[in-house]
Structures are given as structure tokens and as C-alpha cells.
Amino acid sequence: MVTRKEKRNREKEANYFFEFLKIQKHFFKDLMNNLKKVADHRHQSYITYGPEVLLFTIMLKNMTGLKSMRNMSESFNKEECIKNVGKVLGLDSLEELPHYDTINDFLSGLDVNELEKIRTYMIKELLKKRSLESYRIEGKYWGVIIDGTGLHTFHEKHCKHCLRRAYTNKETGETNVLYMHHVLEAKLVVGDMVFSIASEFIENESENVSKQDCELKAFDRLAKKIKKIFKRLPICILGDSLYACETVFNLCRAHKWKYICRFKEGRIKSISTEFKAIKELEQSKDQNSLVWVNDIAYKDRTVNLMEATMKTEDGKSKEYVFITDIKITKKNVERLIAAGRSRWKIENQGFNEQKNNRYNIEHANSQNYTAMKNHYLLVQITDIIRQLFEKGSSILKALKKTAKEKSSNLLESFRTRILTDEDFTHLSKPIQVRFT
């Protein structure tokens, strides 16, 4: 049992910025080199800061929980911050950290593919780690959750790519239009962590399109992107009831993926009707109120359904039904239902955390659409390290701090403690990371 005094001493001694760097170095030893290699669109004769300085500064803003670019410039305007960034990036001549206008100017012209390549490098490095193998579904498939979310909303048209939604004021009868930017995410689920592996922005090609872009259209593009990047990765798509449709079934079959999707009554009427009829006849139910039916015919394929009745927090019973192309057995039904239910993690550990607790992703850090996209991708890149930092750092696990406290402690150590040569000697040593 750790006493309060021992805990206080650990807190005083802990250098959270150094702990963050240990995790980053352990999992992504070439990350800083990758930041340096980002294709720079700027005229080289006018450059003060390299891409690595600009990108790493934003990553630190995200890691330390700062809500705006202005907060970042104000908080990082310290000698300790400048020296720490210079040491990490190997820049002896760094005299200042970039102002947010400089960063936004850079992000406005940066091809989003450059940041996507960095994220791909990070995910491929993670997939090499044997410590994550136990999280595969049925020991074979990597669970990839698919879901969309809104990022920014405007009362006036922001750009030609905006989605539009008309609504009527009930009191006045006046029709108004909201302009929005949405994104579709693919996130690798490993235990309680969800890592972004690909993003597809849901956007209109122009303001004159007859039919707006939507989540399922974006999934078609996203699936092709994932298959191109992770050609032989055995994937199981995890989605809500929107994805329980022939379009998704066909894409999964074409890419040799599996799927487990929430299934709601009325989504595909013929499947729903047959599932009800068969389960009433066979009553293939075990003591845990689990029901499953294999080989339900649907067009040129067969599908499998499973149903679990569970208690909610208020004591009521709720039924969860999932559709999958994985054969269901008594041995695997509970594991498959658990995999299907893990889809909610993209809501909680994913979008909710990023919107409300960590990064304020609904705040537009720039009015330039390309910069908006790049800010979003930098959050996804940072979030991968942040989750590994919080779940893998032995110091953080021992101190049991809240998310806000972790961000605050990291910011304080970055602003007040300069990394030493001895610190960098320790950074080169291997560490052991366990996720519990």
C-alpha cells in the first residue's frame, strides 16, 4: 500500500514530460525524423522553423490539454519550453517557438497526405508489437471501429465543401440552414484504447452537388484507403446499425474482411423476420440469455445473428442484436458479442474524450479548411501517444490521476523542468510497457 507521503514524494520527483518522451521513444523511435521529412510547401528562403518544430509544437499543445492556439502561444512563451523542444529535436539554435499564425499558415498549405503517412507509420509500428496481439478478435482479426462525427458547425457557408442541413423554426416557421464539416473515422480497438488508423472527411465536391456526401459514401472511400495502406491486415469491421447493409457486406467481402455490426429490427426486414422465426422454433438459448442463428440466407450470401439480453444501470433489460459473417458457436458467442459491443468505445474513448475532455476538436483552430483537416489529423496522431502514455506509464498508473490532472502535470513539467543530458541517456535505454 502506497502511503500519502510516498505518493507526494513520487509526484514531486516525477517529470511527466520525460515520461511522455519515454513512451514516444519506445513505440515510435523514428517519429521526430518523420516529422522532419514532411514535404514543406513553403519557399525555403523564408523559413525560420522546420516542419518538425511546427508539428511537434501542436502535438504538445494537444498533449497538454490547451484549448486554443492563443493559449498555446501564451503558455509556451518560456525559456524552458524553447530549450526542451530544441533538445528533443536536436536544434541548438532554436531561439523561439512559432506563433500560432505561423503554424496555421504552414498547415493551410500542407497536403493532408503528409500527416496521414505519419499516422500510418505509427500504426504499423504498433502492429509489430507482440504486446497487442492478445486483443485480436478470435485470435485472428484486428477490430476496426467505423463511425462518423460532426466537427464544426456554421450559420453561414464556410466553404464549398460544407454539408448543408435545413431546419424550420417551430415558432416563426422560418427555414434556416446549418453548414457543417463531418468526418468518418476508422479506429483500431485494443482493450480500452482506440487508435485512429484512417480518416475520411465527409464533404461535398462543390456547392452545386445534387446529392450531398454521406457516411456510407465516405465508407466506400475509407475502405479503399485502409485496404491500400494495410493490404494483408486481417480486419473485422465493427459498426452500428447503419453499417448492417449490403454495401458494407460487399465491401468487406471484396477486401476479405469480417464484420460485426449492431442489427436493429427493420434494418433488413427479411433477415429480421427469419431470425425471429428460427429462434422461436429452435430456442438455442443458454443460461446467459444468449441466442444465435447461423446461415440466414440473404441474397447471394448467408449471415449470422446473435442476441444478448443484458441489464442496464437502472436495472432494466435491454436486447443487443449483432449481425456477422463469423460463424457463431457456444464457445465464441460471448466473445463475439463483447467485440460487437466494443463499438461504443469510439463514442467514449474516442469522440467524447476528444470533444469534451482532451482536445476540444469542435473548436476551429483555423478558418482555412485544409488547416482544419490538418489540425484534426494532428489530434489523432497525438491521441495515439497520449493513450499509450496514460495506459503504459508506470508512474501514471501508480499515481491514478484524472485526465485533467495528467494534462496539467505534463504542461507544468514541460514549462518548468529542462531536460538534461542524463535524461537523454536514459531515453536511449529500453523500457518495459504493460497494459493492464
Side-chain angles (χ1 to χ4, degrees):
M1 175 72 76
V2 178
T3 66
R4 290 185 180 179
K5 185 177 180 180
E6 287 173 330
K7 187 177 180 180
R8 285 196 299 270
N9 288 337
R10 282 189 187 181
E11 289 191 66
K12 287 179 183 177
E13 294 171 3
N15 184 337
Y16 293 86
F17 184 54
F18 174 69
E19 292 297 318
F20 155 69
L21 292 174
K22 276 168 58 178
I23 292 293
Q24 176 260 302
K25 193 79 173 176
H26 174 75
F27 286 100
F28 315 112
K29 62 181 180 180
D30 292 323
L31 178 61
M32 298 308 161
N33 287 330
N34 277 274
L35 296 181
K36 289 179 183 178
K37 293 175 185 176
V38 165
D40 198 338
H41 59 88
R42 300 169 297 169
H43 195 289
Q44 297 301 297
S45 61
Y46 300 111
I47 289 177
T48 303
Y49 304 101
E52 73 276 19
V53 179
L54 301 164
L55 297 174
F56 188 54
T57 300
I58 287 293
M59 289 171 64
L60 287 172
K61 165 197 172 287
N62 295 335
M63 278 294 300
T64 53
L66 297 173
K67 301 300 184 183
S68 70
M69 298 289 280
R70 189 180 298 276
N71 286 152
M72 177 199 70
S73 288
E74 292 171 354
S75 297
F76 290 178
N77 186 27
K78 290 196 69 178
E79 191 69 22
E80 291 84 353
C81 297
I82 299 165
K83 286 186 177 180
N84 280 330
V85 172
K87 281 181 174 288
V88 171
L89 299 176
L91 302 171
D92 297 328
S93 59
L94 189 65
E95 296 179 356
E96 295 287 344
L97 290 183
H99 188 269
Y100 63 82
D101 283 337
T102 303
I103 295 173
N104 275 336
D105 180 64
F106 172 71
L107 294 180
S108 297
L110 179 65
D111 189 332
V112 296
N113 291 324
E114 294 297 310
L115 296 183
E116 289 178 336
K117 285 189 284 187
I118 290 173
R119 176 176 55 189
T120 297
Y121 151 75
M122 294 171 71
I123 294 299
K124 287 186 175 181
E125 287 296 299
L126 283 177
L127 291 172
K128 295 176 186 176
K129 301 291 181 185
R130 303 299 297 176
S131 58
L132 302 180
E133 288 289 318
S134 62
Y135 297 112
R136 292 201 197 202
I137 298 171
E138 292 302 282
K140 300 176 183 178
Y141 311 106
W142 292 101
V144 174
I145 309 170
I146 306 293
D147 202 8
T149 192
L151 295 179
H152 310 296
T153 302
F154 307 92
H155 290 286
E156 296 181 357
K157 186 177 71 174
H158 171 259
C159 66
K160 65 180 182 180
H161 300 294
C162 287
L163 302 176
R164 302 180 300 277
R165 180 179 297 162
Y167 66 97
T168 303
N169 187 310
K170 292 182 179 179
E171 295 181 0
T172 64
E174 183 181 358
T175 299
N176 296 303
V177 178
L178 282 179
Y179 298 90
M180 302 163 293
H181 288 303
H182 287 200
V183 67
L184 185 65
E185 267 294 316
K187 298 213 172 189
L188 180 74
V189 56
V190 285
D192 289 332
M193 298 179 287
V194 286
F195 303 131
S196 172
I197 67 170
S199 308
E200 184 63 33
F201 293 93
I202 306 172
E203 58 188 14
N204 294 328
E205 291 184 11
S206 70
E207 52 194 324
N208 300 316
V209 292
S210 58
K211 194 170 183 179
Q212 295 196 88
D213 197 12
C214 68
E215 209 166 303
L216 285 177
K217 286 182 183 177
F219 177 69
D220 185 21
R221 304 192 300 272
L222 184 68
K224 290 173 182 173
K225 184 184 292 185
I226 295 170
K227 188 64 179 179
K228 184 178 180 181
I229 297 170
F230 305 100
K231 292 181 176 64
R232 290 176 293 278
L233 192 68
I235 285 174
C236 180
I237 294 294
L238 307 172
D240 61 21
S241 59
L242 174 69
Y243 295 90
C245 64
E246 190 173 9
T247 298
V248 174
F249 300 160
N250 286 338
L251 281 169
C252 286
R253 182 162 63 181
H255 296 317
K256 297 181 180 179
W257 297 341
K258 297 295 183 180
Y259 61 83
I260 304 174
C261 296
R262 185 81 186 273
F263 187 81
K264 292 186 177 179
E265 189 174 354
R267 188 69 179 109
I268 303 176
K269 192 173 181 180
S270 63
I271 294 176
S272 181
T273 301
E274 188 168 349
F275 178 58
K276 278 186 176 181
I278 294 174
K279 74 176 184 178
E280 286 174 6
L281 285 172
E282 297 186 358
Q283 287 295 305
S284 301
K285 183 178 290 191
D286 72 358
Q287 67 273 20
N288 295 319
S289 300
L290 301 176
V291 185
W292 62 94
V293 176
N294 287 306
D295 301 323
I296 296 176
Y298 176 64
K299 297 193 175 180
D300 63 342
R301 62 171 55 82
T302 60
V303 297
N304 313 314
L305 269 74
M306 51 192 170
E307 177 184 281
T309 303
M310 300 183 179
K311 294 286 186 182
T312 59
E313 290 182 0
D314 56 6
K316 296 180 181 178
S317 294
K318 186 173 182 180
E319 290 183 348
Y320 296 89
V321 182
F322 297 94
I323 188 168
T324 180
D325 57 347
I326 300 174
K327 197 78 169 179
I328 307 167
T329 67
K330 189 171 183 176
K331 287 184 178 181
N332 71 10
V333 62
E334 290 190 39
R335 294 195 299 270
L336 293 180
I337 285 173
R341 293 193 71 206
S342 69
R343 189 212 65 80
W344 65 267
K345 291 178 181 178
I346 199 171
E347 299 285 352
N348 289 355
Q349 283 94 323
F351 298 136
N352 183 55
E353 281 287 292
Q354 292 187 4
K355 288 181 178 182
N356 303 315
N357 298 329
R358 303 282 182 181
Y359 313 110
N360 198 22
I361 60 172
E362 292 176 302
H363 171 74
N365 287 298
S366 171
Q367 289 300 307
N368 178 275
Y369 185 43
T370 300
M372 284 180 175
K373 289 182 178 181
N374 282 320
H375 273 291
Y376 177 79
L377 292 174
L378 282 165
V379 165
Q380 305 316 308
I381 288 168
T382 307
D383 193 50
I384 295 170
I385 306 176
R386 193 272 302 170
Q387 291 182 76
L388 294 168
F389 173 56
E390 295 192 357
K391 297 292 183 182
S393 170
S394 57
I395 288 179
L396 284 182
K397 285 190 285 188
L399 294 176
K400 296 181 180 178
K401 292 185 170 274
T402 65
K404 189 173 182 180
E405 286 172 333
K406 291 169 187 173
S407 296
S408 178
N409 290 146
L410 180 60
L411 177 60
E412 182 184 5
S413 66
F414 175 57
R415 283 167 42 87
T416 59
R417 300 177 66 167
I418 298 174
L419 294 169
T420 65
D421 292 338
E422 185 180 357
D423 289 331
F424 277 86
T425 300
H426 286 300
L427 280 177
S428 63
K429 296 178 180 179
I431 62 171
Q432 284 197 343
V433 179
R434 289 188 176 89
F435 302 109
T436 56

